[in-house]
Amino acid sequence: MILGYFSAWSIQNILIRVVAATILGGIIGLDRGMKHRGAGTKTITVVCLGATLVMLTEQYIQMYFSGLANMTRMAAQVISGVGFIGVGTIIISRHRVRGLTTAATLWASACVGLAVGIGFVEGGILITAMMLISLHVLPYVERFAARHSRYCNVFLDLEKSRDLHIVIQKLKEADIVIDSMDISKSDTAGEGISVHMVLYAKRPIERTEIYDILMKSDKVMTVDFL
């Protein structure tokens, strides 16, 4: 053990685990809270502490009620149960799914709590550090990849379904291939449709140029990139 042996059942180790769970959960929650995400410092800290208590209870049962001990049952319930909390943070709005990262962070913070609760403090610290690095570095990697990718997701609202062939023709003229397409009824009244397209450009092209191509048709009401 790098930091010490925290798995032994003693009041000092219990205190260290609880304090470590509070700090690690608070750090993860503070990072999310500063970005004004759905689950902030209080929520994630409480989830992490709750998971820690579960593992402390598991070890307590094993110590004093060995015939009833099952070190995996309660932990498994935490891992599956926190998923229901995460579902409440996921919102679908205008073709966009928001809250998935918050839900994943809640689930991961519970796992950190489970690790710290059983005495694996080093694992909790390491995962917390890697989570923070991932949450801050990966968005830049994604944006870099998106800028250099020839694929893009586009959502269109058209006045009428028969106007779709005009849009398809304009894209073909610009050397843009429709990789896939999904059509649904528009939320607006009338005969309008909503179209989700995955486009592939045969040449380097900016999204602004694709937007201009699509908006040249007066039949296109809105254009939204994912």
Side-chain angles (χ1 to χ4, degrees):
M1 292 291 186
I2 298 174
L3 300 179
Y5 185 71
F6 300 111
S7 297
W9 185 261
S10 66
I11 189 63
Q12 293 85 359
N13 281 344
I14 292 172
L15 181 61
I16 290 172
R17 295 184 212 177
V18 172
V19 172
T22 304
I23 294 173
L24 296 177
I27 290 172
I28 297 170
L30 184 62
D31 176 72
R32 303 304 292 165
M34 289 173 63
K35 298 177 181 178
H36 304 285
R37 303 305 185 192
T41 307
K42 291 183 292 184
T43 303
I44 293 181
T45 302
V46 168
V47 168
C48 193
L49 281 171
T52 300
L53 177 60
V54 167
M55 293 309 288
L56 286 171
T57 304
E58 289 269 25
Q59 190 171 6
Y60 179 87
I61 294 173
Q62 188 181 50
M63 292 287 296
Y64 296 102
F65 305 94
S66 58
L68 303 175
N70 186 334
M71 292 297 288
T72 60
R73 183 179 299 170
M74 291 179 68
Q77 294 300 318
V78 171
I79 292 174
S80 60
V82 171
F84 288 99
I85 301 176
V87 169
T89 66
I90 299 173
I91 301 172
I92 301 176
S93 176
R94 284 198 57 81
H95 315 297
R96 298 177 187 272
V97 179
R98 301 181 184 277
L100 283 175
T101 303
T102 299
T105 304
L106 275 169
W107 182 84
S109 67
C111 294
V112 169
L114 291 174
V116 173
I118 203 62
F120 187 31
V121 178
E122 293 93 335
I125 293 174
L126 178 61
I127 293 302
T128 299
M130 294 308 296
M131 281 175 61
L132 293 176
I133 291 172
S134 299
L135 290 170
H136 284 273
V137 174
L138 290 181
Y140 293 102
V141 176
E142 286 182 340
R143 284 195 287 270
F144 176 82
R147 284 197 300 268
H148 293 80
S149 175
R150 295 193 181 186
Y151 285 92
C152 68
N153 281 275
V154 183
F155 293 92
L156 307 175
D157 285 319
L158 303 176
E159 289 184 1
K160 296 181 179 179
S161 58
R162 63 172 178 263
D163 299 327
L164 181 58
H165 77 280
I166 299 175
V167 174
I168 295 174
Q169 184 61 37
K170 288 183 178 295
L171 291 171
K172 286 182 178 179
E173 293 172 356
D175 286 333
I176 299 174
V177 178
I178 300 175
D179 186 72
S180 64
M181 181 168 56
D182 183 35
I183 302 173
S184 60
K185 187 175 180 180
S186 177
D187 294 333
T188 59
E191 302 177 16
I193 60 171
S194 293
V195 184
H196 170 217
M197 295 180 175
V198 177
L199 304 179
Y200 173 76
K202 295 181 180 179
R203 57 184 175 83
I205 187 172
E206 296 291 335
R207 287 189 175 186
T208 52
E209 187 176 345
I210 297 176
Y211 178 85
D212 292 337
I213 292 170
L214 295 171
M215 290 302 293
K216 282 181 181 178
S217 173
D218 56 358
K219 306 299 182 181
V220 178
M221 294 185 291
T222 61
V223 176
D224 189 20
F225 290 92
L226 183 64

PDB file of all heavy atoms in Angstrom, residues 156-168 181 183-186 188-195 197 217 219-221:
ATOM      1  N   LEU A 156     -32.644  19.134 -39.832  1.00  0.00           N
ATOM      2  CA  LEU A 156     -33.370  20.093 -40.658  1.00  0.00           C
ATOM      3  C   LEU A 156     -34.854  20.034 -40.342  1.00  0.00           C
ATOM      4  O   LEU A 156     -35.402  18.971 -40.050  1.00  0.00           O
ATOM      5  CB  LEU A 156     -33.189  19.786 -42.148  1.00  0.00           C
ATOM      6  CG  LEU A 156     -31.781  19.628 -42.711  1.00  0.00           C
ATOM      7  CD1 LEU A 156     -31.870  19.214 -44.172  1.00  0.00           C
ATOM      8  CD2 LEU A 156     -31.011  20.920 -42.580  1.00  0.00           C
ATOM      9  N   ASP A 157     -35.490  21.187 -40.418  1.00  0.00           N
ATOM     10  CA  ASP A 157     -36.951  21.262 -40.390  1.00  0.00           C
ATOM     11  C   ASP A 157     -37.399  21.801 -41.737  1.00  0.00           C
ATOM     12  O   ASP A 157     -36.992  22.905 -42.133  1.00  0.00           O
ATOM     13  CB  ASP A 157     -37.422  22.177 -39.257  1.00  0.00           C
ATOM     14  CG  ASP A 157     -37.304  21.524 -37.897  1.00  0.00           C
ATOM     15  OD1 ASP A 157     -37.631  20.329 -37.804  1.00  0.00           O
ATOM     16  OD2 ASP A 157     -36.895  22.203 -36.943  1.00  0.00           O
ATOM     17  N   LEU A 158     -38.206  21.011 -42.440  1.00  0.00           N
ATOM     18  CA  LEU A 158     -38.694  21.388 -43.766  1.00  0.00           C
ATOM     19  C   LEU A 158     -40.189  21.657 -43.718  1.00  0.00           C
ATOM     20  O   LEU A 158     -40.925  21.048 -42.934  1.00  0.00           O
ATOM     21  CB  LEU A 158     -38.402  20.286 -44.785  1.00  0.00           C
ATOM     22  CG  LEU A 158     -36.932  19.874 -44.943  1.00  0.00           C
ATOM     23  CD1 LEU A 158     -36.826  18.701 -45.909  1.00  0.00           C
ATOM     24  CD2 LEU A 158     -36.097  21.040 -45.431  1.00  0.00           C
ATOM     25  N   GLU A 159     -40.640  22.557 -44.596  1.00  0.00           N
ATOM     26  CA  GLU A 159     -42.060  22.900 -44.639  1.00  0.00           C
ATOM     27  C   GLU A 159     -42.906  21.709 -45.086  1.00  0.00           C
ATOM     28  O   GLU A 159     -43.971  21.448 -44.527  1.00  0.00           O
ATOM     29  CB  GLU A 159     -42.293  24.079 -45.593  1.00  0.00           C
ATOM     30  CG  GLU A 159     -41.760  25.401 -45.062  1.00  0.00           C
ATOM     31  CD  GLU A 159     -42.094  26.548 -45.995  1.00  0.00           C
ATOM     32  OE1 GLU A 159     -42.754  26.310 -47.031  1.00  0.00           O
ATOM     33  OE2 GLU A 159     -41.703  27.680 -45.692  1.00  0.00           O
ATOM     34  N   LYS A 160     -42.417  20.977 -46.092  1.00  0.00           N
ATOM     35  CA  LYS A 160     -43.158  19.826 -46.620  1.00  0.00           C
ATOM     36  C   LYS A 160     -42.188  18.707 -46.962  1.00  0.00           C
ATOM     37  O   LYS A 160     -41.026  18.955 -47.294  1.00  0.00           O
ATOM     38  CB  LYS A 160     -43.965  20.226 -47.848  1.00  0.00           C
ATOM     39  CG  LYS A 160     -45.056  21.260 -47.561  1.00  0.00           C
ATOM     40  CD  LYS A 160     -45.845  21.595 -48.814  1.00  0.00           C
ATOM     41  CE  LYS A 160     -46.929  22.615 -48.493  1.00  0.00           C
ATOM     42  NZ  LYS A 160     -47.715  22.979 -49.702  1.00  0.00           N
ATOM     43  N   SER A 161     -42.667  17.486 -46.917  1.00  0.00           N
ATOM     44  CA  SER A 161     -41.809  16.329 -47.171  1.00  0.00           C
ATOM     45  C   SER A 161     -41.284  16.325 -48.604  1.00  0.00           C
ATOM     46  O   SER A 161     -40.174  15.855 -48.856  1.00  0.00           O
ATOM     47  CB  SER A 161     -42.587  15.041 -46.889  1.00  0.00           C
ATOM     48  OG  SER A 161     -43.743  14.969 -47.691  1.00  0.00           O
ATOM     49  N   ARG A 162     -42.075  16.831 -49.538  1.00  0.00           N
ATOM     50  CA  ARG A 162     -41.633  16.808 -50.933  1.00  0.00           C
ATOM     51  C   ARG A 162     -40.474  17.765 -51.208  1.00  0.00           C
ATOM     52  O   ARG A 162     -39.862  17.709 -52.274  1.00  0.00           O
ATOM     53  CB  ARG A 162     -42.799  17.131 -51.863  1.00  0.00           C
ATOM     54  CG  ARG A 162     -43.397  18.517 -51.698  1.00  0.00           C
ATOM     55  CD  ARG A 162     -44.407  18.782 -52.805  1.00  0.00           C
ATOM     56  NE  ARG A 162     -45.046  20.070 -52.660  1.00  0.00           N
ATOM     57  CZ  ARG A 162     -46.222  20.274 -52.089  1.00  0.00           C
ATOM     58  NH1 ARG A 162     -46.893  19.238 -51.583  1.00  0.00           N
ATOM     59  NH2 ARG A 162     -46.739  21.478 -52.005  1.00  0.00           N
ATOM     60  N   ASP A 163     -40.159  18.638 -50.246  1.00  0.00           N
ATOM     61  CA  ASP A 163     -39.037  19.567 -50.418  1.00  0.00           C
ATOM     62  C   ASP A 163     -37.696  18.898 -50.140  1.00  0.00           C
ATOM     63  O   ASP A 163     -36.648  19.484 -50.394  1.00  0.00           O
ATOM     64  CB  ASP A 163     -39.198  20.778 -49.481  1.00  0.00           C
ATOM     65  CG  ASP A 163     -40.466  21.567 -49.772  1.00  0.00           C
ATOM     66  OD1 ASP A 163     -40.852  21.622 -50.958  1.00  0.00           O
ATOM     67  OD2 ASP A 163     -41.060  22.110 -48.826  1.00  0.00           O
ATOM     68  N   LEU A 164     -37.723  17.669 -49.622  1.00  0.00           N
ATOM     69  CA  LEU A 164     -36.483  16.996 -49.240  1.00  0.00           C
ATOM     70  C   LEU A 164     -35.584  16.728 -50.434  1.00  0.00           C
ATOM     71  O   LEU A 164     -34.358  16.834 -50.333  1.00  0.00           O
ATOM     72  CB  LEU A 164     -36.810  15.682 -48.519  1.00  0.00           C
ATOM     73  CG  LEU A 164     -35.617  14.857 -48.018  1.00  0.00           C
ATOM     74  CD1 LEU A 164     -34.751  15.667 -47.061  1.00  0.00           C
ATOM     75  CD2 LEU A 164     -36.110  13.580 -47.341  1.00  0.00           C
ATOM     76  N   HIS A 165     -36.177  16.404 -51.579  1.00  0.00           N
ATOM     77  CA  HIS A 165     -35.354  16.075 -52.743  1.00  0.00           C
ATOM     78  C   HIS A 165     -34.549  17.286 -53.212  1.00  0.00           C
ATOM     79  O   HIS A 165     -33.467  17.142 -53.782  1.00  0.00           O
ATOM     80  CB  HIS A 165     -36.239  15.548 -53.885  1.00  0.00           C
ATOM     81  CG  HIS A 165     -36.984  16.614 -54.622  1.00  0.00           C
ATOM     82  ND1 HIS A 165     -38.152  17.172 -54.141  1.00  0.00           N
ATOM     83  CD2 HIS A 165     -36.716  17.253 -55.805  1.00  0.00           C
ATOM     84  CE1 HIS A 165     -38.584  18.082 -54.994  1.00  0.00           C
ATOM     85  NE2 HIS A 165     -37.737  18.167 -56.004  1.00  0.00           N
ATOM     86  N   ILE A 166     -35.060  18.492 -52.966  1.00  0.00           N
ATOM     87  CA  ILE A 166     -34.315  19.711 -53.332  1.00  0.00           C
ATOM     88  C   ILE A 166     -33.050  19.819 -52.485  1.00  0.00           C
ATOM     89  O   ILE A 166     -31.963  20.133 -52.984  1.00  0.00           O
ATOM     90  CB  ILE A 166     -35.203  20.959 -53.137  1.00  0.00           C
ATOM     91  CG1 ILE A 166     -36.442  20.877 -54.029  1.00  0.00           C
ATOM     92  CG2 ILE A 166     -34.401  22.226 -53.434  1.00  0.00           C
ATOM     93  CD1 ILE A 166     -37.435  21.998 -53.807  1.00  0.00           C
ATOM     94  N   VAL A 167     -33.182  19.546 -51.200  1.00  0.00           N
ATOM     95  CA  VAL A 167     -32.042  19.595 -50.289  1.00  0.00           C
ATOM     96  C   VAL A 167     -31.009  18.543 -50.681  1.00  0.00           C
ATOM     97  O   VAL A 167     -29.797  18.815 -50.722  1.00  0.00           O
ATOM     98  CB  VAL A 167     -32.515  19.368 -48.839  1.00  0.00           C
ATOM     99  CG1 VAL A 167     -31.320  19.269 -47.897  1.00  0.00           C
ATOM    100  CG2 VAL A 167     -33.437  20.485 -48.405  1.00  0.00           C
ATOM    101  N   ILE A 168     -31.469  17.334 -50.976  1.00  0.00           N
ATOM    102  CA  ILE A 168     -30.560  16.260 -51.370  1.00  0.00           C
ATOM    103  C   ILE A 168     -29.788  16.633 -52.626  1.00  0.00           C
ATOM    104  O   ILE A 168     -28.570  16.388 -52.727  1.00  0.00           O
ATOM    105  CB  ILE A 168     -31.354  14.948 -51.583  1.00  0.00           C
ATOM    106  CG1 ILE A 168     -31.953  14.481 -50.255  1.00  0.00           C
ATOM    107  CG2 ILE A 168     -30.453  13.870 -52.172  1.00  0.00           C
ATOM    108  CD1 ILE A 168     -32.875  13.287 -50.381  1.00  0.00           C
ATOM    109  N   MET A 181     -29.865   8.812 -43.023  1.00  0.00           N
ATOM    110  CA  MET A 181     -30.921   9.814 -42.913  1.00  0.00           C
ATOM    111  C   MET A 181     -32.111   9.223 -42.164  1.00  0.00           C
ATOM    112  O   MET A 181     -32.491   8.080 -42.384  1.00  0.00           O
ATOM    113  CB  MET A 181     -31.345  10.290 -44.307  1.00  0.00           C
ATOM    114  CG  MET A 181     -32.424  11.355 -44.305  1.00  0.00           C
ATOM    115  SD  MET A 181     -32.637  12.121 -45.938  1.00  0.00           S
ATOM    116  CE  MET A 181     -32.956  10.671 -46.959  1.00  0.00           C
ATOM    117  N   ILE A 183     -36.109  10.358 -40.925  1.00  0.00           N
ATOM    118  CA  ILE A 183     -37.175  11.339 -41.132  1.00  0.00           C
ATOM    119  C   ILE A 183     -38.274  11.120 -40.099  1.00  0.00           C
ATOM    120  O   ILE A 183     -38.684   9.986 -39.833  1.00  0.00           O
ATOM    121  CB  ILE A 183     -37.765  11.225 -42.552  1.00  0.00           C
ATOM    122  CG1 ILE A 183     -36.665  11.413 -43.600  1.00  0.00           C
ATOM    123  CG2 ILE A 183     -38.876  12.250 -42.761  1.00  0.00           C
ATOM    124  CD1 ILE A 183     -37.127  11.139 -45.022  1.00  0.00           C
ATOM    125  N   SER A 184     -38.756  12.207 -39.523  1.00  0.00           N
ATOM    126  CA  SER A 184     -39.866  12.146 -38.577  1.00  0.00           C
ATOM    127  C   SER A 184     -40.766  13.361 -38.783  1.00  0.00           C
ATOM    128  O   SER A 184     -40.373  14.337 -39.431  1.00  0.00           O
ATOM    129  CB  SER A 184     -39.360  12.104 -37.133  1.00  0.00           C
ATOM    130  OG  SER A 184     -38.594  13.261 -36.843  1.00  0.00           O
ATOM    131  N   LYS A 185     -41.960  13.287 -38.229  1.00  0.00           N
ATOM    132  CA  LYS A 185     -42.895  14.390 -38.363  1.00  0.00           C
ATOM    133  C   LYS A 185     -42.420  15.577 -37.542  1.00  0.00           C
ATOM    134  O   LYS A 185     -41.978  15.430 -36.401  1.00  0.00           O
ATOM    135  CB  LYS A 185     -44.283  13.959 -37.900  1.00  0.00           C
ATOM    136  CG  LYS A 185     -45.364  14.994 -38.173  1.00  0.00           C
ATOM    137  CD  LYS A 185     -46.746  14.468 -37.795  1.00  0.00           C
ATOM    138  CE  LYS A 185     -47.813  15.522 -38.081  1.00  0.00           C
ATOM    139  NZ  LYS A 185     -49.164  15.031 -37.708  1.00  0.00           N
ATOM    140  N   SER A 186     -42.524  16.756 -38.116  1.00  0.00           N
ATOM    141  CA  SER A 186     -42.066  17.958 -37.436  1.00  0.00           C
ATOM    142  C   SER A 186     -42.989  18.312 -36.281  1.00  0.00           C
ATOM    143  O   SER A 186     -44.192  18.010 -36.299  1.00  0.00           O
ATOM    144  CB  SER A 186     -41.994  19.127 -38.425  1.00  0.00           C
ATOM    145  OG  SER A 186     -41.616  20.317 -37.761  1.00  0.00           O
ATOM    146  N   THR A 188     -43.776  21.279 -35.557  1.00  0.00           N
ATOM    147  CA  THR A 188     -44.581  22.411 -35.993  1.00  0.00           C
ATOM    148  C   THR A 188     -45.817  21.913 -36.729  1.00  0.00           C
ATOM    149  O   THR A 188     -45.852  20.805 -37.247  1.00  0.00           O
ATOM    150  CB  THR A 188     -43.766  23.331 -36.922  1.00  0.00           C
ATOM    151  OG1 THR A 188     -43.325  22.569 -38.046  1.00  0.00           O
ATOM    152  CG2 THR A 188     -42.572  23.902 -36.187  1.00  0.00           C
ATOM    153  N   ALA A 189     -46.812  22.750 -36.810  1.00  0.00           N
ATOM    154  CA  ALA A 189     -48.071  22.367 -37.445  1.00  0.00           C
ATOM    155  C   ALA A 189     -47.899  22.272 -38.963  1.00  0.00           C
ATOM    156  O   ALA A 189     -46.968  22.824 -39.544  1.00  0.00           O
ATOM    157  CB  ALA A 189     -49.154  23.387 -37.099  1.00  0.00           C
ATOM    158  N   GLY A 190     -48.795  21.560 -39.589  1.00  0.00           N
ATOM    159  CA  GLY A 190     -48.763  21.441 -41.043  1.00  0.00           C
ATOM    160  C   GLY A 190     -48.142  20.152 -41.513  1.00  0.00           C
ATOM    161  O   GLY A 190     -48.113  19.153 -40.803  1.00  0.00           O
ATOM    162  N   GLU A 191     -47.609  20.207 -42.731  1.00  0.00           N
ATOM    163  CA  GLU A 191     -47.048  19.014 -43.357  1.00  0.00           C
ATOM    164  C   GLU A 191     -45.533  18.930 -43.215  1.00  0.00           C
ATOM    165  O   GLU A 191     -44.872  18.216 -43.951  1.00  0.00           O
ATOM    166  CB  GLU A 191     -47.420  19.000 -44.851  1.00  0.00           C
ATOM    167  CG  GLU A 191     -48.914  19.046 -45.117  1.00  0.00           C
ATOM    168  CD  GLU A 191     -49.229  19.093 -46.598  1.00  0.00           C
ATOM    169  OE1 GLU A 191     -48.323  18.791 -47.399  1.00  0.00           O
ATOM    170  OE2 GLU A 191     -50.356  19.427 -46.949  1.00  0.00           O
ATOM    171  N   GLY A 192     -44.977  19.682 -42.294  1.00  0.00           N
ATOM    172  CA  GLY A 192     -43.531  19.738 -42.138  1.00  0.00           C
ATOM    173  C   GLY A 192     -42.936  18.442 -41.608  1.00  0.00           C
ATOM    174  O   GLY A 192     -43.606  17.631 -40.977  1.00  0.00           O
ATOM    175  N   ILE A 193     -41.648  18.260 -41.878  1.00  0.00           N
ATOM    176  CA  ILE A 193     -40.918  17.086 -41.397  1.00  0.00           C
ATOM    177  C   ILE A 193     -39.595  17.530 -40.777  1.00  0.00           C
ATOM    178  O   ILE A 193     -39.062  18.596 -41.104  1.00  0.00           O
ATOM    179  CB  ILE A 193     -40.641  16.072 -42.526  1.00  0.00           C
ATOM    180  CG1 ILE A 193     -39.804  16.727 -43.641  1.00  0.00           C
ATOM    181  CG2 ILE A 193     -41.932  15.494 -43.060  1.00  0.00           C
ATOM    182  CD1 ILE A 193     -39.311  15.730 -44.683  1.00  0.00           C
ATOM    183  N   SER A 194     -39.086  16.700 -39.881  1.00  0.00           N
ATOM    184  CA  SER A 194     -37.753  16.891 -39.308  1.00  0.00           C
ATOM    185  C   SER A 194     -36.848  15.799 -39.869  1.00  0.00           C
ATOM    186  O   SER A 194     -37.246  14.636 -39.912  1.00  0.00           O
ATOM    187  CB  SER A 194     -37.790  16.812 -37.785  1.00  0.00           C
ATOM    188  OG  SER A 194     -38.507  17.896 -37.246  1.00  0.00           O
ATOM    189  N   VAL A 195     -35.658  16.177 -40.290  1.00  0.00           N
ATOM    190  CA  VAL A 195     -34.740  15.240 -40.929  1.00  0.00           C
ATOM    191  C   VAL A 195     -33.400  15.274 -40.195  1.00  0.00           C
ATOM    192  O   VAL A 195     -32.832  16.345 -39.980  1.00  0.00           O
ATOM    193  CB  VAL A 195     -34.516  15.579 -42.415  1.00  0.00           C
ATOM    194  CG1 VAL A 195     -33.629  14.532 -43.075  1.00  0.00           C
ATOM    195  CG2 VAL A 195     -35.847  15.693 -43.146  1.00  0.00           C
ATOM    196  N   MET A 197     -29.637  14.014 -40.643  1.00  0.00           N
ATOM    197  CA  MET A 197     -28.710  13.501 -41.642  1.00  0.00           C
ATOM    198  C   MET A 197     -27.303  13.402 -41.070  1.00  0.00           C
ATOM    199  O   MET A 197     -26.863  14.289 -40.325  1.00  0.00           O
ATOM    200  CB  MET A 197     -28.650  14.426 -42.871  1.00  0.00           C
ATOM    201  CG  MET A 197     -29.919  14.534 -43.659  1.00  0.00           C
ATOM    202  SD  MET A 197     -29.668  15.661 -45.070  1.00  0.00           S
ATOM    203  CE  MET A 197     -31.249  15.501 -45.896  1.00  0.00           C
ATOM    204  N   SER A 217     -32.276  27.149 -49.801  1.00  0.00           N
ATOM    205  CA  SER A 217     -33.649  26.789 -50.125  1.00  0.00           C
ATOM    206  C   SER A 217     -34.605  27.450 -49.135  1.00  0.00           C
ATOM    207  O   SER A 217     -34.419  27.354 -47.915  1.00  0.00           O
ATOM    208  CB  SER A 217     -33.833  25.270 -50.072  1.00  0.00           C
ATOM    209  OG  SER A 217     -35.189  24.935 -50.218  1.00  0.00           O
ATOM    210  N   LYS A 219     -37.409  26.512 -48.477  1.00  0.00           N
ATOM    211  CA  LYS A 219     -38.224  25.459 -47.877  1.00  0.00           C
ATOM    212  C   LYS A 219     -37.635  24.952 -46.571  1.00  0.00           C
ATOM    213  O   LYS A 219     -38.313  24.284 -45.792  1.00  0.00           O
ATOM    214  CB  LYS A 219     -38.379  24.289 -48.844  1.00  0.00           C
ATOM    215  CG  LYS A 219     -38.913  24.672 -50.222  1.00  0.00           C
ATOM    216  CD  LYS A 219     -40.284  25.298 -50.154  1.00  0.00           C
ATOM    217  CE  LYS A 219     -40.811  25.626 -51.555  1.00  0.00           C
ATOM    218  NZ  LYS A 219     -42.150  26.268 -51.500  1.00  0.00           N
ATOM    219  N   VAL A 220     -36.374  25.260 -46.328  1.00  0.00           N
ATOM    220  CA  VAL A 220     -35.702  24.840 -45.091  1.00  0.00           C
ATOM    221  C   VAL A 220     -35.975  25.881 -44.021  1.00  0.00           C
ATOM    222  O   VAL A 220     -35.585  27.040 -44.171  1.00  0.00           O
ATOM    223  CB  VAL A 220     -34.196  24.662 -45.301  1.00  0.00           C
ATOM    224  CG1 VAL A 220     -33.517  24.274 -43.992  1.00  0.00           C
ATOM    225  CG2 VAL A 220     -33.914  23.609 -46.358  1.00  0.00           C
ATOM    226  N   MET A 221     -36.626  25.464 -42.943  1.00  0.00           N
ATOM    227  CA  MET A 221     -36.983  26.418 -41.892  1.00  0.00           C
ATOM    228  C   MET A 221     -35.853  26.595 -40.868  1.00  0.00           C
ATOM    229  O   MET A 221     -35.529  27.713 -40.476  1.00  0.00           O
ATOM    230  CB  MET A 221     -38.259  25.943 -41.184  1.00  0.00           C
ATOM    231  CG  MET A 221     -39.488  25.955 -42.092  1.00  0.00           C
ATOM    232  SD  MET A 221     -41.004  25.533 -41.202  1.00  0.00           S
ATOM    233  CE  MET A 221     -40.709  23.790 -40.853  1.00  0.00           C
TER     234      MET A 221
END
